[in-house]
Amino acid sequence: EIWVCGRNQEEAFERAKKMFPNNKNINLVQDQDVLDTWFSSSLLPISGLGWPLQEDFNNNGKNIFKHRHYPLSLMETGVDILFFWVARMVMICTHLSGAPPFKKILLHSIVRDSEGRKMSKSLGNVVD
């Protein structure tokens, strides 16, 4: 199984033809799960406020998202997901809305067990 990405099926098909120029029987199947968890959650600051709506775009297709509750004033999170979630939020929401999703980021500490591992139900090292 080989994965090919494109903005649409036509672009993916053209890329596949370039990858396999001798193969005349290219069959593409679109993955039904198109957003991964970190990507879709990075849209939370704007999607939770109704983005994208038609009125969020001007007649040139440029995003003009404006909302009275955007941007948020503070994002509070642990340092362990700073890159996975927070950085993606900043990059994606700034690109899509023209403004960063929050004004400040408050990083809190992470409780760890005696071996230095993050407390986790799946590890079984949480306080009961």
Side-chain angles (χ1 to χ4, degrees), residues 17-33:
K17 285 194 316 190
K18 287 179 184 175
M19 290 171 64
F20 305 101
N22 298 325
N23 188 342
K24 303 296 182 204
N25 298 318
I26 295 174
N27 182 28
L28 296 181
V29 177
Q30 184 172 350
D31 189 339
Q32 296 302 308
D33 186 14

Side-chain angles (χ1 to χ4, degrees), residues 42-43 45-46 62-63 65 70-71 86-102:
S42 69
L43 295 171
I46 55 178
K62 182 166 173 43
N63 196 319
F65 179 76
Y70 186 87
V86 180
R88 284 182 171 96
M89 273 189 193
V90 171
M91 291 183 284
I92 290 171
C93 291
T94 301
H95 176 76
L96 294 174
S97 73
F102 25 80

Side-chain angles (χ1 to χ4, degrees), residues 30-61:
Q30 184 172 350
D31 189 339
Q32 296 302 308
D33 186 14
V34 295
L35 291 178
D36 72 24
T37 301
W38 292 115
F39 178 80
S40 59
S41 64
S42 69
L43 295 171
L44 182 63
I46 55 178
S47 63
L49 298 173
W51 179 92
L53 299 172
Q54 188 62 39
E55 58 266 22
D56 292 334
F57 299 89
N58 66 19
N59 48 2
N60 294 327

Side-chain angles (χ1 to χ4, degrees), residues 50-88:
W51 179 92
L53 299 172
Q54 188 62 39
E55 58 266 22
D56 292 334
F57 299 89
N58 66 19
N59 48 2
N60 294 327
K62 182 166 173 43
N63 196 319
I64 55 169
F65 179 76
K66 302 287 183 223
H67 194 280
R68 66 187 180 112
H69 297 299
Y70 186 87
L72 304 171
S73 56
L74 177 69
M75 170 63 162
E76 179 270 332
T77 187
V79 71
D80 57 329
I81 62 169
L82 185 62
F83 177 75
F84 294 110
W85 190 28
V86 180
R88 284 182 171 96

